[in-house]
Amino acid sequence: MTAMLKYVLQDVLRARFVIFYTTFMLAVTILLFQIDGDSAKVVASLLNVALLVIPLVSIVFTTIHYFNSYEFILLLMAQPINRKSVFLSQYLGVATSLCLSVLIGIGLPALVFGAVSQVLPLLVNSLFITIIFVSLGFLASSLTRDKAKAIGISLLFWFYFTLIYDGLLLWVIYTFNDYPLELPTLILSGLNPIDLSRILMLLSMDISTLMGYTGAFFKSFFGSNLGMIYAFGVLSLWAVWPLLLALRRFKQNDL
Amino acid sequence: MKIFFILSVFLTASFATTATTLVVRDKLFSKAIQSAKPGDTLIIKPGYYKPRNVIINKPLTIIGEGMPTIDGENKYELFTITAKRVTIQGIRFINTGKSTTLDFAAIKAYDADGLCVLNNRIIDAYFGIHISNTSHATIVKNYISRTSTENSETSIGNAIHLWKSDHALIEQNRVSNHRDGIYFEFVTNSIIKKNHSEKNLRYGLHFMFSNQDQYIDNEFVNNGAGVAVMYTHSVTMTGNLFANNWGASAYGLLLKDIRDSEVNHNRFINNTMGIYMEGSSRINFRNNEFNGNGYALRIQASCDQNVFEKNNLKANTFDIATNGSMVLNTFEKNYWDKYEGYDLNKDGFGDTFYRPVNLYSMIVERIPVSILLWRSFMVFLLDRAEKNFPAITPENLLDNKPSMKPYDFVSSRK
Amino acid sequence: MISFHRVNKTYGKLKTLSEVNLDLKMGHCYALLGPNGSGKTTLIKSILGMVIPDSGEIKINNQTILGQFIYRKQIGYMPQIGQYPPGLSMAQLFDMVKGLRPEVRNTDNELIETLGLQPLMNKRMYSLSGGTRQKVSAALTFLFRPSILILDEPTAGLDPVAVEILKQKLVEEKKAGKLFIITSHILSDLEEIVTDMIYLFEGTVRYNSPVEDLKTETHEASFAKAISSLIKNQDLQIKELVTP
């Protein structure tokens, strides 16, 4: 598998789109640092990139890559190797490349402008989001044999997690306003990796000054060891379950 | 063990003679005061004293030499001053008694016009300096704090407490870990200047019914509920720092029933709420800096005719929150970092208005839990829509001339 | 040898393989023919384990292949369309494929030489023409000296010179007693190599016998004509499908 992984990596890293994506993030981050020396503001602006652009790019690129590699995957499948190694080498290749893009695009400028500690939570969350949406991209790809349909499903995933889910959540909060909502919202936010990431980011940013009773609850929860284990545990689950489901389908499906 | 007191009794300048040094027992501390004549100066030699309650009933100057310690043994009030023109200087007071009915203090004064309290350290007192019915008190460069971790409001008094006084000067004191750092009730024509008030349980400064006062260049940091100024007119607040007051009901500055006042050149940094105001009118807010607050300003509907001009608002989560729809206050020429307009005629002000009330702040106000969705894409879209077609936020609450650039207050004030 | 025993495969409502029984022997070269959608590709993919039959059994050398992958050491597969990671150079591609089977030291690099791929080794895959990629596919197929070769439209897209080189290679390998399964639309290309003909229609094996028998049956001297004649003589259903 490592033999394949090495070459998948070499292939993906040279993809024009990945180079463009890395350059784009690098440019945005450097620009933000130059416009505003205040790293807190830079992080706030980058948050939008992390929560919108990174999931979108990760899931759509994964899907397109999967279908573009389909014929090659077939060729590999004719070799005496099992499907799991083929699948995992593809997954690890894409996930590692996109994580490298994030590290270079956001991490490198942070290093240069000496703002690593402020950018670190954003960086960690961005990496999680990348891995999670690569998993979801493979899941979308495994759900259909049609490339266009798979891209459609990917976009739907993205749209659901960035917008629709939050709309539903707000509706729930509004409707059940009279009940204690701290615990339910905590659980509900865990059902959307973007929300969970965003809350983790907020707690390291402006929400802390804003918070009255409600914020205090979340801050004390996520500030504790238990909260951190919960948050990163849930994020890891989000990276793993779509991948396992996709792998299962990949092993059972006809190619 | 017997404790000896070394007490020097000086004749004051009015007698212009040499001083004599007396060695007296504990209980004779009061005797020294009895034997002193009005206007005398007493010098307390370095040492550790347990004089119980000392009553000063004549004009005296009492000066500690090498910071002598006076211990109240957790039972007694230390100095009780009932005379005019008393000066207390350079003494370390520790461990007063604690009584909620008697308000024990390290230095308590009433009817003590011309009182001067300089350079003292007061540690673990119930009240630090407690003054009533006094004109022209001067409280300068005292350090007042507690080491105890006991933190209930009823078991702790205020650091500097003034009641029904006038023409007081409170300057360069450092107060911390008390109930209120500085407490003013019915204190008029007074100045509070360059004090540092930190980590007090309730307010850094608590200020009521105290007209015609000024407070200038003070720092109020990390207090339980910030600073409260209430039921007062004609206050001038200039150059103060209100920072890191966090909590459900913590404010940088709480203004309640204030009118005809000036709030200029202050800095409000990292507070849950920068300024919270209700029932206040005709206050000018100019050249203030609001940075990193949850809400920069919360203006209840009961406020009118206030003017907000040339302030900097940067990196606040929400700029303005309000519960009213009527616009009775004026906003002009402020710098809002969230303003996205343009300046084609290059006059330094945006050509389009800025609406500082965020829709989501109103939702958060009603349902605090909904803050969890802050900075989500959906909330961003909601806010965009509302900014362009206001339906819920007050349509006319706007700054018609938002500044394109932040003001440089540091150099403009010098 | 490869044997199919009552193999069925259905996609949705479409039956692509229906009760397929086949015995494919070493040293033979099977031409797999049939109209589009007759199940040729499904048959090939089921041998490679890419398609898993709904029922029935496929055995290679009397070992079932279900859930196995090691058996593919014996198989060389040349797909219809060769798509390769665009970012890799040809050399990297060969290194990668060789890396999958490090135990095979003595690889067969003949076609790399004869098809003239050696000078192109440093080119990236995206920059290569379809024909060149097809040559790469051919070279990869023979790389590990497999005993079973499955070629899906091997001559499509190749220039005549390359076709000739490939045919030479096939003839040589056949002599070594290997088993070939070839699908092709260009029947004349197969003439010299094919020993047996399998005709698939709507997922069923309609015809399966040596070419000699076919020629005798149809009284035609050439393979291509024999097939045309066979199709003509089949029942109406087939005619309807073959004649446009």
Side-chain angles (χ1 to χ4, degrees):
Chain A
M1 195 175 89
T2 41
M4 268 186 286
L5 176 59
K6 184 179 139 197
Y7 293 99
V8 175
L9 259 178
Q10 284 188 355
D11 176 43
V12 177
L13 282 176
R14 280 183 193 149
R16 223 173 293 169
F17 183 80
V18 172
I19 294 167
F20 170 76
Y21 173 57
T22 312
T23 321
F24 165 77
M25 279 198 296
L26 197 63
V28 167
T29 312
I30 290 174
L31 203 69
L32 285 171
F33 268 113
Q34 279 180 341
I35 289 173
D36 208 314
D38 181 6
S39 47
K41 260 186 104 174
V42 175
V43 170
S45 308
L46 280 175
L47 186 65
N48 293 325
V49 176
L51 297 180
L52 285 176
V53 179
I54 291 180
L56 181 65
V57 166
S58 301
I59 196 167
V60 172
F61 176 78
T62 300
T63 311
I64 292 174
H65 170 84
Y66 177 83
F67 280 92
N68 286 352
S69 310
Y70 189 77
E71 302 291 337
F72 185 63
I73 290 173
L74 280 189
L75 191 97
L76 290 175
M77 289 305 307
Q79 301 294 328
I81 38 179
N82 62 14
R83 291 191 177 190
K84 195 173 156 188
S85 347
V86 173
F87 183 84
L88 287 182
S89 64
Q90 290 290 330
Y91 174 79
L92 288 175
V94 175
T96 311
S97 318
L98 292 182
C99 282
L100 271 176
S101 294
V102 170
L103 279 174
I104 295 170
I106 296 175
L108 198 65
L111 203 67
V112 171
F113 287 92
V116 175
S117 58
Q118 293 93 322
V119 175
L120 196 64
L122 178 90
L123 202 59
V124 171
N125 277 293
S126 302
L127 293 176
F128 263 105
I129 290 280
T130 301
I131 294 167
I132 288 166
F133 277 81
V134 169
S135 291
L136 286 169
F138 274 99
L139 180 61
S141 305
S142 75
L143 291 177
T144 172
R145 294 166 67 96
D146 182 30
K147 185 176 176 180
K149 225 186 236 174
I151 293 174
I153 294 171
S154 292
L155 288 173
L156 208 65
F157 274 152
W158 176 77
F159 204 59
Y160 175 76
F161 287 123
T162 49
L163 195 62
I164 297 172
Y165 187 88
D166 290 348
L168 293 174
L169 187 56
L170 186 62
W171 178 79
V172 167
I173 289 173
Y174 228 98
T175 312
F176 300 99
N177 186 11
D178 298 332
Y179 300 90
L181 281 170
E182 281 75 22
L183 200 61
T185 42
L186 180 73
I187 293 164
L188 286 177
S189 68
L191 296 180
N192 180 348
I194 294 189
D195 273 359
L196 193 58
S197 249
R198 189 173 43 75
I199 292 165
L200 284 176
M201 291 290 311
L202 282 184
L203 289 171
S204 68
M205 292 164 53
D206 57 357
I207 208 172
S208 33
T209 53
L210 184 66
M211 288 291 72
Y213 172 70
T214 302
F217 169 80
F218 288 105
K219 194 159 176 67
S220 65
F221 177 76
F222 285 113
S224 68
N225 285 336
L226 182 75
M228 277 292 139
I229 291 168
Y230 166 82
F232 288 109
V234 169
L235 285 178
S236 305
L237 275 182
W238 269 103
V240 169
W241 81 256
L243 177 67
L244 289 183
L245 199 62
L247 175 61
R248 225 184 79 166
R249 290 191 62 91
F250 184 78
K251 277 161 87 174
Q252 288 172 353
N253 280 5
D254 297 317
L255 297 170
Chain B
M1 181 188 131
K2 289 200 171 177
I3 297 162
F4 290 90
F5 281 69
I6 303 167
L7 201 70
S8 310
V9 180
F10 281 79
L11 298 177
T12 54
S14 56
F15 293 87
T17 61
T18 54
T20 44
T21 302
L22 297 173
V23 179
V24 289
R25 281 180 197 284
D26 175 354
K27 58 190 173 188
L28 296 179
F29 200 108
S30 298
K31 230 174 195 175
I33 288 168
Q34 273 173 24
S35 62
K37 294 190 185 71
D40 275 0
T41 297
L42 281 73
I43 291 182
I44 304 175
K45 286 287 182 186
Y48 193 92
Y49 304 88
K50 290 186 175 175
R52 304 193 175 173
N53 181 224
V54 178
I55 295 172
I56 300 162
N57 52 9
K58 63 189 83 165
L60 289 175
T61 300
I62 302 177
I63 300 173
E65 191 179 294
M67 207 39 106
T69 297
I70 300 185
D71 187 347
E73 301 167 76
N74 295 315
K75 282 188 223 150
Y76 308 104
E77 176 157 289
L78 285 163
F79 282 9
T80 309
I81 300 162
T82 60
K84 297 180 175 20
R85 295 189 305 283
V86 173
T87 296
I88 311 291
Q89 189 181 338
I91 299 170
R92 180 161 168 265
F93 298 89
I94 61 172
N95 304 332
T96 67
K98 288 172 179 56
S99 155
T100 45
T101 46
L102 295 173
D103 286 354
F104 282 160
I107 299 171
K108 183 183 275 176
Y110 45 92
D111 303 321
D113 295 359
L115 173 71
C116 221
V117 182
L118 304 172
N119 287 319
N120 300 288
R121 291 179 69 83
I122 302 174
I123 311 293
D124 292 328
Y126 184 60
F127 276 77
I129 300 169
H130 187 296
I131 296 170
S132 20
N133 251 329
T134 296
S135 296
H136 299 279
T138 304
I139 316 291
V140 177
K141 291 186 179 169
N142 299 287
Y143 174 88
I144 307 171
S145 188
R146 286 168 56 253
T147 55
S148 161
T149 50
E150 191 191 344
N151 274 341
S152 90
E153 275 192 22
T154 48
S155 61
I156 307 164
N158 303 323
I160 297 175
H161 179 107
L162 274 80
W163 186 78
K164 213 160 178 295
S165 297
D166 58 78
H167 296 92
L169 172 67
I170 316 291
E171 190 171 340
Q172 293 185 62
N173 301 287
R174 294 184 73 87
V175 295
S176 56
N177 293 316
H178 275 267
R179 185 169 63 199
D180 291 337
I182 301 171
Y183 179 95
F184 267 42
E185 191 172 358
F186 306 109
V187 179
T188 56
N189 297 297
S190 298
I191 295 172
I192 302 172
K193 200 174 171 182
K194 293 186 177 168
N195 300 286
H196 183 91
S197 176
E198 191 179 335
K199 290 182 192 151
N200 295 292
L201 252 64
R202 201 167 61 184
Y203 296 115
L205 170 66
H206 192 175
F207 193 96
M208 295 182 292
F209 310 106
S210 296
N211 306 324
Q212 265 98 32
D213 288 351
Q214 300 178 39
Y215 58 97
I216 303 164
D217 295 344
N218 301 287
E219 294 171 350
F220 304 103
V221 181
N222 205 357
N223 295 295
V227 167
V229 181
M230 306 190 278
Y231 318 109
T232 298
H233 64 83
S234 312
V235 197
T236 303
M237 313 168 210
T238 307
N240 301 288
L241 170 69
F242 304 85
N244 300 335
N245 300 294
W246 289 11
S249 52
Y251 320 101
L253 175 59
L254 165 70
L255 298 171
K256 186 175 165 62
D257 287 290
I258 305 295
R259 59 188 168 82
D260 301 301
S261 295
E262 297 285 332
V263 180
N264 300 329
H265 279 110
N266 299 288
R267 286 172 297 148
F268 299 86
I269 317 278
N270 293 341
N271 303 289
T272 296
M273 239 171 261
I275 297 180
Y276 174 93
M277 56 193 289
E278 58 179 58
S280 297
S281 318
R282 298 192 296 275
I283 308 178
N284 292 320
F285 298 84
R286 290 197 178 91
N287 301 0
N288 299 291
E289 180 98 31
F290 296 86
N291 203 325
N293 302 289
Y295 294 85
L297 293 156
R298 183 172 208 167
I299 304 164
Q300 298 300 91
S302 50
C303 300
D304 63 352
Q305 298 177 66
N306 299 292
V307 176
F308 298 86
E309 198 179 75
K310 294 187 178 173
N311 300 290
N312 281 342
L313 290 100
K314 295 181 200 163
N316 302 294
T317 305
F318 299 124
D319 289 327
I320 293 183
T322 178
N323 61 353
S325 54
M326 294 278 286
V327 180
L328 306 166
N329 304 290
T330 311
F331 298 87
E332 212 174 51
K333 298 180 184 170
N334 298 291
Y335 170 75
W336 314 87
D337 65 345
K338 296 176 189 69
Y339 177 62
E340 288 169 340
Y342 43 83
D343 178 20
L344 292 182
N345 58 6
K346 302 269 179 221
D347 63 351
F349 296 103
D351 299 345
T352 55
F353 55 79
Y354 174 72
R355 279 212 180 89
V357 177
N358 184 302
L359 166 69
Y360 207 65
S361 73
M362 302 184 86
I363 295 174
V364 169
E365 206 158 325
R366 275 197 49 207
I367 312 163
V369 175
S370 61
I371 190 64
L372 277 194
L373 288 166
W374 178 236
R375 286 189 187 281
S376 69
F377 188 46
M378 185 205 57
V379 170
F380 169 80
L381 291 181
L382 272 182
D383 190 45
R384 269 299 138 108
E386 177 70 17
K387 278 243 152 62
N388 291 312
F389 310 102
I392 300 164
T393 54
E395 194 177 348
N396 295 317
L397 200 167
L398 38 84
D399 187 331
N400 268 316
K401 277 188 96 173
S403 171
M404 295 304 289
K405 274 192 218 146
Y407 297 95
D408 179 7
F409 296 137
V410 180
S411 58
S412 69
R413 199 171 169 226
K414 275 169 187 165
Chain C
M1 60 172 266
I2 306 171
S3 69
F4 282 70
H5 180 66
R6 303 191 62 187
V7 173
N8 286 287
K9 179 70 194 178
T10 313
Y11 285 116
K13 281 179 186 166
L14 195 71
K15 233 172 155 41
T16 48
L17 292 181
S18 171
E19 294 291 317
V20 172
N21 290 295
L22 282 173
D23 277 303
L24 309 177
K25 298 181 191 73
M26 302 304 286
H28 287 248
C29 176
Y30 297 88
L32 188 57
L33 303 175
N36 290 335
S38 58
K40 298 189 298 273
T41 305
T42 308
L43 192 82
I44 288 176
K45 283 188 170 176
S46 64
I47 298 171
L48 291 164
M50 294 171 189
V51 168
I52 296 150
D54 301 332
S55 65
E57 201 171 28
I58 301 167
K59 287 182 173 175
I60 292 183
N61 296 337
N62 292 321
Q63 301 261 307
T64 183
I65 62 164
L66 191 69
Q68 304 294 314
F69 61 89
I70 305 291
Y71 74 93
R72 291 199 288 263
K73 282 186 178 180
Q74 310 162 50
I75 302 178
Y77 169 59
M78 179 170 171
Q80 213 172 79
I81 307 156
Q83 292 280 13
Y84 299 98
L88 294 188
S89 70
M90 197 191 291
Q92 281 174 323
L93 178 72
F94 277 99
D95 285 348
M96 173 182 179
V97 176
K98 282 177 190 166
L100 297 175
R101 310 212 14 209
E103 76 282 1
V104 181
R105 294 285 169 80
N106 178 27
T107 53
D108 180 353
N109 298 328
E110 189 193 328
L111 281 181
I112 299 176
E113 295 299 330
T114 51
L115 290 172
L117 295 176
Q118 200 58 54
L120 305 171
M121 272 297 172
N122 290 324
K123 295 246 178 192
R124 296 274 187 82
M125 294 309 292
Y126 72 84
S127 66
L128 302 179
S129 71
T132 312
R133 280 205 292 259
Q134 197 68 1
K135 288 178 189 171
V136 171
S137 297
L140 285 173
T141 310
F142 291 93
L143 199 61
F144 299 113
R145 305 181 187 277
S147 55
I148 298 169
L149 288 137
I150 299 172
L151 312 175
D152 198 354
E153 299 286 347
T155 55
L158 285 183
D159 59 76
V161 181
V163 169
E164 214 41 54
I165 294 169
L166 183 61
K167 261 158 76 176
Q168 274 319 111
K169 182 72 181 167
L170 290 176
V171 170
E172 264 169 52
E173 296 291 316
K174 202 179 103 187
K175 277 182 200 154
K178 295 189 173 177
L179 166 59
F180 283 85
I181 302 168
I182 301 176
T183 70
S184 180
H185 285 104
I186 308 161
L187 299 170
S188 58
D189 285 348
L190 303 174
E191 179 101 47
E192 307 144 47
I193 312 153
V194 171
T195 58
D196 290 74
M197 218 254 331
I198 298 169
Y199 190 83
L200 274 180
F201 183 75
E202 289 190 342
T204 54
V205 180
R206 284 297 171 97
Y207 194 89
N208 177 15
S209 61
V211 174
E212 290 313 313
D213 294 2
L214 175 70
K215 285 179 182 168
T216 328
E217 266 176 50
T218 54
H219 312 289
E220 297 283 355
S222 90
F223 177 54
K225 279 186 181 158
I227 288 168
S228 322
S229 149
L230 168 76
I231 292 168
K232 276 181 203 153
N233 293 337
Q234 287 284 327
D235 55 306
L236 257 170
Q237 268 185 309
I238 300 177
K239 276 186 206 155
E240 276 169 10
L241 256 146
V242 172
T243 44

